[in-house]
Amino acid sequence: MRIWNGTDSEAEKIFTELFQQEYEKLIRCAIIYLKAGDTKMATKGRAEVAVQETFALAWEHRDKVLSREKPVGWLYKALQYKSKDILREENKWRKRILLFERTETPSDDPYSRLDLDLYGTIPEQDFDLLHKVYWEGYSYRELCGDMNLSKSALGARLLRLRRKICKELKK
């Protein structure tokens, strides 16, 4: 790995190398972390989200990460915490869905399950995307081909959707 000289251009090169060398390993590690929470859910897409958010966090704290002796160790530790955050968030959603299912009559329409909380928050197209990733278990690769997006663009879109939903639900 390169030695960081303090510039963003050099940091970008180092992060590119880290991404190329560690991405698949981090995905496998995230799958293990996320399976610990619930083995019934598809973990590939969730693992990709965790790894991408970990790299985004690492970039935000690049001074701290690149000044460490082993930045790769920082990535793995941050991935562990990010995976725990994802599991906590999913548990909140699971509880909300269970509460909704207990109080409402069941329906085959996927929109009806979360309609109470998400009505007017996001468009149907975005809800379909969330449904495919988190309920049906589609991987980013499968969805990228259908949507003509890169993996990073799809990850960014999902991140913006989750943030928008959280912001709206907090109101």
Side-chain angles (χ1 to χ4, degrees):
M1 192 173 92
R2 299 172 187 248
I3 304 294
W4 186 47
N5 63 12
T7 64
D8 279 348
S9 63
E10 189 63 29
E12 191 174 328
K13 290 175 186 174
I14 293 171
F15 268 84
T16 301
E17 287 178 14
L18 276 173
F19 186 84
Q20 290 170 346
Q21 293 171 2
E22 299 297 324
Y23 184 77
E24 291 301 321
K25 295 177 206 170
L26 286 165
I27 292 286
R28 288 192 298 271
C29 189
I31 287 172
I32 292 168
Y33 290 147
L34 294 169
K35 277 187 178 178
D38 185 359
T39 56
K40 296 175 191 167
M41 292 182 69
T43 55
K44 179 73 172 169
R46 294 162 55 226
E48 288 175 342
V49 168
V51 171
Q52 289 173 2
E53 288 184 10
T54 299
F55 270 102
L57 181 67
W59 181 255
E60 288 175 23
H61 299 284
R62 61 187 167 275
D63 294 340
K64 181 180 172 183
V65 174
L66 294 177
S67 63
R68 295 179 65 103
E69 188 176 321
K70 295 183 180 182
V72 174
W74 188 97
L75 285 172
Y76 280 91
K77 195 63 167 173
L79 177 64
Q80 182 181 12
Y81 288 116
K82 182 54 69 179
S83 298
K84 287 179 182 180
D85 288 344
I86 288 173
L87 290 172
R88 263 191 297 270
E89 186 68 25
E90 288 172 353
N91 283 334
K92 287 180 194 176
W93 280 97
R94 231 179 262 120
K95 288 176 186 176
R96 188 173 272 164
I97 289 170
L98 286 172
L99 178 65
F100 181 75
E101 287 176 343
R102 287 183 194 147
T103 59
E104 296 293 322
T105 57
S107 171
D108 292 335
D109 181 21
Y111 297 104
S112 67
R113 296 180 71 199
L114 293 175
D115 193 37
L116 183 67
D117 286 336
L118 297 180
Y119 181 76
T121 304
I122 59 173
E124 280 188 28
Q125 174 185 341
D126 291 337
F127 185 84
D128 284 339
L129 176 60
L130 292 172
H131 191 270
K132 285 179 181 178
V133 171
Y134 295 108
W135 277 271
E136 295 176 25
Y138 281 82
S139 71
Y140 277 28
R141 284 198 180 108
E142 293 170 321
L143 293 173
C144 286
D146 295 342
M147 301 179 74
N148 295 325
L149 294 172
S150 67
K151 284 174 95 173
S152 60
L154 180 61
R157 184 173 179 185
L158 285 167
L159 180 62
R160 283 192 305 273
L161 278 172
R162 288 194 313 270
R163 285 181 178 164
K164 181 179 180 181
I165 290 170
C166 288
K167 182 180 172 185
E168 291 294 321
L169 292 178
K170 284 180 183 177
K171 290 180 181 179

